Amino acid sequence: MLVVRPTRLSDLPALERLAGSATPRLTNLPAHRDRLEERIARSQRAFAAEVDGPGDEHYTFVLEDTQRGEVVGTATIRALAGANEAYYTYRQETLIHASHQLNVRREVQTLALSHEVSDASLLCALSLDARYKGTSAESLLRRARLMFIAQYPERFAEVLAMAFPGYLDDDNESPFWNSVGRHFFVRDFQDINYIAGVRSKSFIAEVMPQFPLYLALLTPQARAAIGREHPAHEPALDEMLAEGFLRSRHVDLFDAGPIVKGERARLETFRRAAWHPVRIRPEHTLPDAEPAMIANQRLDDFRCIVARYALSPTGQLMLSPQHAELLGVEEGRAVLVAPLTLPGGELDPGYDEGEL
């Protein structure tokens, strides 16, 4: 059985392994033991703190396979992306260049340095063991964070954001970085990606150019990479768009990967979540039903699992003793439930309305 729970110090070796195997390597999940140990301690402080508004809290979760006794995934929520220092992105913009004398009017695409995403809560640092990719475990790990936010909305911003790794070529290089950032930092993409993960990102404002970048001056490969996700993350992006996130006009500063944003009230998990009291029944007596995410009500001992959305005639959620034990709930205790399957239909690849 699989369960999402807050991380603890004993998870450190697993986090090291997951950070080292992430594809591609993640800026916000560096394979650095000291930083990962700090991440665990920071998360424990966040879960223990009394909070009435989003701040510098980082909530880190792990996905545990209880049958194997193994941590197989991790994911984090940053309560406020720019709590301590600005969260920099490039914003895609259009400038008009016109001359009446020459009878010329041109729309020119640019990228402008921005820190507007700083006010959003950030879903980040997700890494999953390759054995579990493409299964319900992936959706559980990714969206259990939404179940947590739904229970403790005062701890997070109204707008949620998620940055996806950008496109890398066959040599594991970023065409966008090679055309832009490399000229200012004189470092390879992988080097700067690691440095950004283990140190402060204040160097971004110190070194990156403050004026707009004209896309026409970039290489064709760099232009093609803007807003393009890494192939390994295409299913994740599709799921988040089905959830209700929208592509924003912001892209990552280093590799130009897409950043999606969504108002909490418009996301499917929030709209379809419901509270049900628990009724415990033997596994073999439970009726067939669609799978659902089920979360308990404990802050520092949060648990979220996938089980059947089987309701009694009186609206009680019927759980097996094993699932009830995994959640740490007794009969009569209310749990939050949301369907695991998202609505189908064609995905809207368009941008958000304005800036959400």
Side-chain angles (χ1 to χ4, degrees):
M1 288 192 230
L2 300 173
V3 59
V4 172
R5 59 164 175 80
T7 188
R8 47 186 181 239
L9 188 56
S10 60
D11 300 325
L12 181 58
L15 293 187
E16 286 187 279
R17 176 175 53 80
L18 291 165
S21 63
T23 305
R25 294 295 179 90
L26 302 177
T27 307
N28 47 34
L29 189 66
H32 188 286
R33 186 178 183 87
D34 290 343
R35 294 295 174 267
L36 293 173
E37 191 170 3
E38 290 174 9
R39 177 185 296 265
I40 294 172
R42 187 175 196 172
S43 177
Q44 290 176 323
R45 291 195 299 270
F47 279 102
E50 294 185 8
V51 174
D52 55 11
D56 193 32
E57 300 82 26
H58 288 203
Y59 303 87
T60 297
F61 302 84
V62 296
L63 176 69
E64 182 180 358
D65 186 328
T66 58
Q67 290 180 316
R68 294 176 180 267
E70 184 180 355
V71 168
V72 297
T74 183
T76 294
I77 312 170
R78 289 170 59 177
L80 207 57
N84 276 346
E85 55 187 19
Y87 182 83
Y88 285 99
T89 65
Y90 273 128
R91 176 187 164 97
Q92 301 177 75
E93 298 181 349
T94 302
L95 298 181
I96 305 298
H97 288 244
S99 169
H100 290 294
Q101 289 181 325
L102 299 178
N103 193 28
V104 172
R105 183 185 185 278
R106 293 291 303 275
E107 291 187 358
V108 181
Q109 304 303 312
T110 67
L111 293 175
L113 200 62
S114 169
H115 48 75
E116 295 170 3
V117 182
S118 295
D119 291 334
S121 292
L122 191 67
L123 307 179
C124 60
L126 188 148
S127 180
L128 180 66
D129 189 298
R131 295 169 294 175
Y132 296 81
K133 290 182 179 179
T135 70
S136 61
E138 193 165 9
S139 292
L140 173 63
L141 178 60
R142 187 175 297 120
R143 294 172 55 216
R145 293 173 294 182
L146 302 180
M147 297 288 280
F148 182 78
I149 295 171
Q151 292 197 50
Y152 305 100
E154 71 282 357
R155 292 175 174 261
F156 303 98
E158 289 294 331
V159 173
L160 309 181
M162 190 171 184
F164 287 87
Y167 172 78
L168 303 180
D169 62 22
D170 293 339
D171 295 323
N172 209 32
E173 291 286 335
S174 166
F176 182 80
W177 175 260
N178 287 339
S179 186
V180 179
R182 188 184 182 96
H183 296 296
F184 299 93
F185 289 90
V186 198
R187 287 181 181 269
D188 291 336
F189 171 73
Q190 299 299 342
D191 291 341
I192 203 69
N193 200 38
Y194 181 78
I195 292 171
V198 299
R199 300 180 186 174
S200 168
K201 294 184 181 180
S202 60
F203 65 81
I204 293 173
E206 296 167 355
V207 180
M208 290 299 283
Q210 301 296 311
F211 47 82
L213 301 177
Y214 284 70
L215 267 59
L217 302 180
L218 304 183
T219 65
Q221 295 85 354
R223 292 198 298 271
I226 295 172
R228 181 180 176 186
E229 70 277 9
H230 189 282
H233 291 259
E234 289 176 3
L237 178 57
D238 287 345
E239 182 174 44
M240 289 297 97
L241 294 177
E243 175 70 56
F245 283 86
L246 297 172
R247 290 180 182 268
S248 75
R249 299 188 184 277
H250 296 267
V251 297
D252 183 79
L253 204 66
F254 295 156
D255 61 18
I259 295 175
V260 299
K261 297 168 69 178
E263 293 177 346
R264 291 189 326 218
R266 297 178 58 177
L267 301 181
E268 290 294 332
T269 295
F270 292 82
R271 294 174 56 204
R272 303 168 74 193
W275 291 98
H276 295 284
V278 168
R279 185 176 183 181
I280 300 175
R281 292 292 181 269
E283 175 74 31
H284 71 276
T285 66
L286 300 182
D288 287 335
E290 293 296 316
M293 296 181 294
I294 304 170
N296 65 10
Q297 296 186 62
R298 299 180 181 179
L299 173 61
D300 59 352
D301 196 25
F302 175 79
R303 297 286 187 274
C304 189
I305 66 171
V306 170
R308 286 177 286 185
Y309 204 160
L311 297 181
S312 71
T314 55
Q316 295 172 305
L317 180 75
M318 293 184 282
L319 288 178
S320 69
Q322 294 83 1
H323 282 139
E325 182 180 3
L326 201 57
L327 286 168
V329 296
E330 302 171 349
E331 186 152 319
R333 175 71 66 177
V335 291
L336 187 65
V337 187
L340 182 67
T341 304
L342 291 165
E346 186 174 350
L347 298 177
D348 179 9
Y351 290 112
D352 59 20
E353 302 93 348
E355 270 310 309
L356 283 177

